[in-house]
Amino acid sequence: MKKLVAVTACPTGIAHTYMAAENLALAAKELGVEIKVETQGSVGVENKLSEEDIWAAEAVIIAAATKVDRSRFAGKAILEVPVEQAIKDPKELIEKALQLQKPKDYVEEVREIKREQAAARSGVYKHLMTGVSYMIPFVVAGGILIAISFAFGIEAFKQPGTLPAALMQIGGGSAFALMVPILSAYIAFSIADRPGLVPGFVGGMLAVSTGAGFLGGIISGFLAGYTIEILRKAIRLPRTLEGLMPVLILPVLSCLIVGLLMIYAIGTPIKGIMTGLTNWLSGLSNANAALLGLVLGLMMAFDMGGPVNKAAYTFATGLLASNIFAPMAAVMAAGMTPPLGLALATVIAKDRFTKEEIEAGKAAWFLGISFITEGAIPFAAADPLRVIPSIMIGSGITGALSMLFGAMLRVPHGGIFVLPIPHAVTNLPLYILAIAIGTVVTALLVAVLKKR
Amino acid sequence: MDIAAVLNEKCIELNLKARNKEEAIRELTDLLSEQGLITDQEEFFTAVQEREKLFSTGIGMGIAIPHGKSPAVRQAAVAFGRSANGVDFNSMDDKPAHLIFLLAVPEDANDLHLQVLSTLSRLLMHKEVREALSKATSAAEVVAAFKTGAENE
């Protein structure tokens, strides 16, 4: 049986203390949970909780209107509520207490933050991010295999029947080629569930064949999803024929609508935009390239995994489909420096941080080199006005330097672990330098700005 | 456990005349005062009001337990009043209170008496006890309701 302990206390210590205790005991009995309640009333402490009681308990409920000493419960999950709540909703309290988790360690906390961010997304943003999250592994696998193929020589894959040719066929011809259709399909899936997959995939394939690229894929994804939604609402079949909807009616009609729109209305204009964009990006002067890198860097650090960060990231990843690799390098570098910079800061300026932050700093090294920008969030949450500007400036500098040094990256994730793969990144030494400089800048800014 | 030690049958009013919280507390204070359990009505009343300000003693389920700790209380005691129309006590469930218990606690309370008060409070959390109190037709039956409740623990 699950065990809980509780302490009840109220100012006069005559009535509420005991009523809370009684109601908690009654509710626990009903829920099949064991509970021991210590009361702190006018008569003094009754039913005092022993060390074993506390150790064996899943969680602690403190229902008090006065201060209760919490040092006995160190390390335990505690639910603290006003004493009336224990009288009014004891069952709810017990259920809530059983669901509490022990105080999390830093890595778990970052994971939790990522989960919460994902759950909080809604609407258009959520659909887009769903598509992106399905797409990323394809691009990672494809990009790395292409890079390995280049290890044999940039033109090596052109020799039919060789290993590099096979690697290029797997990575470039297959994995990478699926990038835009997957993006489109899963945007549609997020909107309309399974039926969205058909027009989503088909629309995405058409985005590729019409040259509309990843932008076309995003459009086709939303188009496909909402087309299915409209068709579902507009077409009402008698119950016996309903089975035909997902198998016949929806696929045929949605493909027709989305396909024709892509070919006749969307493909060409979007292709024009993509061509213009890629031409502009390829022809950037050094100054403008650095400016772009700066902006991307600032965006990556601004909300560390939030919408602005994701916008920069998606933009850079999408460009991979059009063979533009420089923004990707800038974005990944700029995403690594916030946690790395904070980790360095906890080493060089120990007296500015709490004990927990210094411990967290040790883990932040690993999160940083793995390109998990969210590792900086706990630090930023504790001291936003000093931390956020520092990481933004550091990331901005890294982004600008990466673009200036002409670094190019064809893989959208993996941090330091993809750097050793030959041809995954170009200008590796300068790229690492860009990351290092940004890390040091962030660390120095944080150390200078933070109070002792 | 002798409930009678704190709940004197003469301090039980099955038909409270009070129409609001203040009147209810005064009516019950009078009962305690008539039995010589309170030496200074005003001082005790102030103590109860002070406690009421912290957070309301209308705990819902039709019960209110105003209480006060004061040197004006000679010995721990309870006065019980039942209101047919209900009295607004700013209860947690927004419903009027029909069963009102006024608890009086002296500054240096006798532990035994306090134990009885705490048991009384606990018993009020049991539905059977509240039902018996609502149906009681005499002061004796009120005391009996608590005694039965205590035995069934």
Side-chain angles (χ1 to χ4, degrees):
Chain A
M1 221 195 301
K2 296 218 172 130
K3 293 189 184 160
L4 288 176
V5 291
V7 177
T8 62
C10 91
T12 341
I14 322 171
H16 291 83
T17 308
Y18 303 103
M19 297 194 290
E22 189 71 8
N23 267 4
L24 281 172
L26 288 174
K29 203 155 130 196
E30 266 180 69
L31 291 171
V33 172
E34 215 180 286
I35 194 171
K36 184 166 173 186
V37 187
E38 174 184 303
T39 54
Q40 296 183 356
S42 267
V43 280
V45 176
E46 282 177 316
N47 213 19
K48 193 178 171 85
L49 298 173
S50 71
E51 273 187 39
E52 282 96 61
D53 293 324
I54 299 175
W55 181 84
E58 302 241 346
V60 181
I61 298 177
I62 299 183
T66 57
K67 264 260 164 263
V68 168
D69 176 25
R70 290 170 67 134
S71 56
R72 292 189 285 168
F73 308 116
K76 292 232 93 92
I78 301 180
L79 184 58
E80 207 163 349
V81 295
V83 70
E84 310 90 79
Q85 222 181 309
I87 300 179
K88 192 168 159 208
D89 296 312
K91 258 199 193 160
E92 210 182 283
L93 261 188
I94 291 180
E95 279 167 357
K96 213 165 147 187
L98 287 174
Q99 282 165 15
L100 276 185
Q101 284 158 315
K102 275 188 269 290
K104 294 175 272 243
D105 69 356
Y106 170 64
V107 177
E108 246 184 271
E109 198 184 321
V110 172
R111 241 182 261 157
E112 177 87 11
I113 289 173
K114 288 182 79 150
R115 239 176 285 154
E116 277 169 22
Q117 277 180 335
R121 294 184 196 137
S122 64
V124 167
Y125 179 56
K126 173 180 168 221
H127 301 316
L128 182 60
M129 284 302 114
T130 304
V132 171
S133 70
Y134 275 92
M135 175 186 81
I136 299 285
F138 284 84
V139 186
V140 172
I144 291 184
L145 292 179
I146 293 175
I148 297 180
S149 151
F150 285 152
F152 291 83
I154 295 287
E155 311 272 302
F157 71 93
K158 293 196 177 146
Q159 300 258 9
T162 57
L163 181 58
L167 288 171
M168 183 57 84
Q169 190 180 0
I170 302 170
S174 314
F176 225 77
L178 284 168
M179 179 180 152
V180 171
I182 292 273
L183 173 66
S184 172
Y186 282 93
I187 289 176
F189 178 71
S190 174
I191 300 171
D193 214 1
R194 270 181 68 166
L197 289 175
V198 175
F201 270 114
V202 170
M205 292 283 285
L206 288 168
V208 174
S209 54
T210 58
F214 94 95
L215 196 54
I218 294 177
I219 294 175
S220 68
F222 280 101
L223 193 56
Y226 291 124
T227 300
I228 294 280
E229 288 288 274
I230 294 174
L231 286 174
R232 265 208 277 242
K233 288 199 183 92
I235 300 179
R236 289 258 153 263
L237 292 177
R239 226 158 55 93
T240 43
L241 293 177
E242 252 173 38
L244 285 177
M245 281 290 269
V247 178
L248 177 65
I249 315 271
L250 286 179
V252 171
L253 285 179
S254 65
C255 273
L256 197 58
I257 296 173
V258 172
L260 290 176
L261 277 171
M262 288 302 288
I263 293 178
Y264 289 118
I266 296 174
T268 316
I270 301 296
K271 176 179 174 181
I273 294 178
M274 284 307 291
T275 312
L277 183 62
T278 50
N279 283 345
W280 179 69
L281 286 169
S282 313
L284 276 178
S285 67
N286 274 348
N288 284 338
L291 193 58
L292 178 61
L294 175 69
V295 170
L296 288 174
L298 290 172
M299 286 174 75
M300 287 302 285
F302 177 68
D303 59 359
M304 301 156 280
V308 175
N309 167 293
K310 292 285 183 211
Y313 179 70
T314 306
F315 174 68
T317 307
L319 286 173
L320 296 178
S322 306
N323 287 334
I324 304 277
F325 303 113
M328 190 76 251
V331 156
M332 190 161 93
M336 288 165 68
T337 56
L340 286 176
L342 284 163
L344 183 58
T346 61
V347 166
I348 63 175
K350 282 196 167 69
D351 54 359
R352 310 278 204 287
F353 294 98
T354 68
K355 214 168 57 130
E356 291 86 17
E357 281 176 324
I358 297 182
E359 278 306 303
K362 295 186 189 155
W365 286 111
F366 293 99
L367 292 176
I369 60 177
S370 311
F371 184 39
I372 300 185
T373 320
E374 290 87 341
I377 294 185
F379 292 91
D383 195 0
L385 292 176
R386 293 196 185 87
V387 170
I388 298 186
S390 307
I391 56 177
M392 280 177 74
I393 293 176
S395 287
I397 292 179
T398 294
L401 285 175
S402 168
M403 292 293 280
L404 260 181
F405 294 156
M408 298 206 224
L409 177 66
R410 49 175 68 243
V411 183
H413 222 299
I416 216 175
F417 302 102
V418 303
L419 297 186
I421 299 173
H423 298 285
V425 92
T426 61
N427 294 345
L428 183 58
L430 287 175
Y431 188 57
I432 294 183
L433 182 65
I435 298 175
I437 292 178
T439 302
V440 169
V441 167
T442 298
L444 287 175
L445 279 172
V446 170
V448 160
L449 288 174
K450 260 193 182 291
K451 281 196 295 232
R452 238 161 266 276
Chain B
M1 191 60 58
D2 196 1
I3 308 274
V6 299
L7 183 55
N8 188 326
E9 279 189 26
K10 294 215 182 68
C11 295
I12 296 178
E13 172 56 66
L14 291 174
N15 280 306
L16 273 183
K17 298 180 196 59
R19 286 156 304 166
N20 61 42
K21 203 201 284 199
E22 215 190 281
E23 287 180 16
I25 298 177
R26 283 212 186 272
E27 213 177 314
L28 291 172
T29 307
D30 282 341
L31 291 176
L32 292 173
S33 180
E34 277 164 32
Q35 297 303 313
L37 296 164
I38 303 205
T39 55
D40 185 340
Q41 279 205 27
E42 274 316 307
E43 209 186 298
F44 177 67
F45 186 72
T46 310
V48 176
Q49 292 283 68
E50 286 300 313
R51 178 60 189 77
E52 205 62 32
K53 272 196 216 124
L54 284 178
F55 49 83
S56 170
T57 57
I59 50 162
M61 304 174 276
I63 308 176
I65 32 128
H67 48 277
K69 196 167 174 181
S70 156
V73 179
R74 186 169 283 131
Q75 102 184 18
V78 181
F80 168 57
R82 190 170 67 189
S83 165
N85 293 335
V87 175
D88 180 16
F89 250 87
N90 289 347
S91 300
M92 288 195 281
D93 59 3
D94 287 325
K95 296 208 185 88
H98 294 272
L99 306 172
I100 305 167
F101 294 82
L102 179 62
L103 309 181
V105 183
E107 273 303 327
D108 51 354
N110 173 322
D111 269 10
L112 195 56
H113 286 146
L114 288 179
Q115 299 261 18
V116 179
L117 282 182
S118 67
T119 307
L120 217 79
S121 303
R122 282 183 187 272
L123 289 173
L124 286 175
M125 298 292 102
H126 294 243
K127 212 160 136 216
E128 311 83 50
V129 173
R130 294 199 295 274
E131 273 171 17
L133 291 173
S134 303
K135 296 201 189 90
T137 55
S138 72
E141 278 182 35
V142 170
V143 179
F146 279 112
K147 280 218 171 111
T148 321
E151 273 155 35
N152 290 341
E153 274 290 292

